Amino acid sequence: MWIRSQDRLCLEKVNVVVVLENNKNANEKVWSLISVGEFQYRFGDYSTKERALEVLDEIQKLLIAIPETKIPFTNIVYQMPEE
């Protein structure tokens, strides 16, 4: 599956995406979806863990639906949503 980053600057074929907590600065906690593998890239930032998990759930639902669409897995591109 391919994922396009929130800022639209990266289009990467990924196998694993994780939700990680990080701090943009001392006062702002964000939850990021990050690819894991040979290259690591932060695909999107969300203000709550719940929102980050909603986005991960959307990706999961798309992956589950792929066999029904008969579209090859490698032809799917998911655009990371804004907040």
Side-chain angles (χ1 to χ4, degrees):
M1 169 181 238
W2 292 84
I3 296 181
R4 180 106 185 234
S5 61
Q6 223 174 31
D7 61 11
R8 304 183 52 83
L9 297 175
C10 179
L11 179 64
E12 182 179 351
K13 186 175 181 181
V14 298
N15 291 318
V16 179
V17 176
V18 298
V19 173
L20 292 178
E21 178 182 359
N22 65 59
N23 296 319
K24 277 191 157 181
N25 59 48
N27 299 321
E28 185 181 10
K29 182 186 296 184
V30 296
W31 296 86
S32 300
L33 277 84
I34 298 174
S35 67
V36 176
E38 184 178 347
F39 300 103
Q40 293 188 356
Y41 192 85
R42 192 168 73 221
F43 285 110
D45 295 325
Y46 300 95
S47 60
T48 66
K49 182 179 181 180
E50 291 73 24
R51 177 60 180 139
L53 290 172
E54 285 175 5
V55 174
L56 195 59
D57 288 345
E58 287 178 22
I59 294 169
Q60 178 182 340
K61 287 176 187 174
L62 179 61
L63 290 171
I64 290 169
I66 287 172
E68 296 172 9
T69 65
K70 298 190 170 106
I71 298 171
F73 178 73
T74 56
N75 292 350
I76 301 294
V77 176
Y78 179 80
Q79 170 66 53
M80 293 297 288
E82 295 297 324
E83 183 67 37

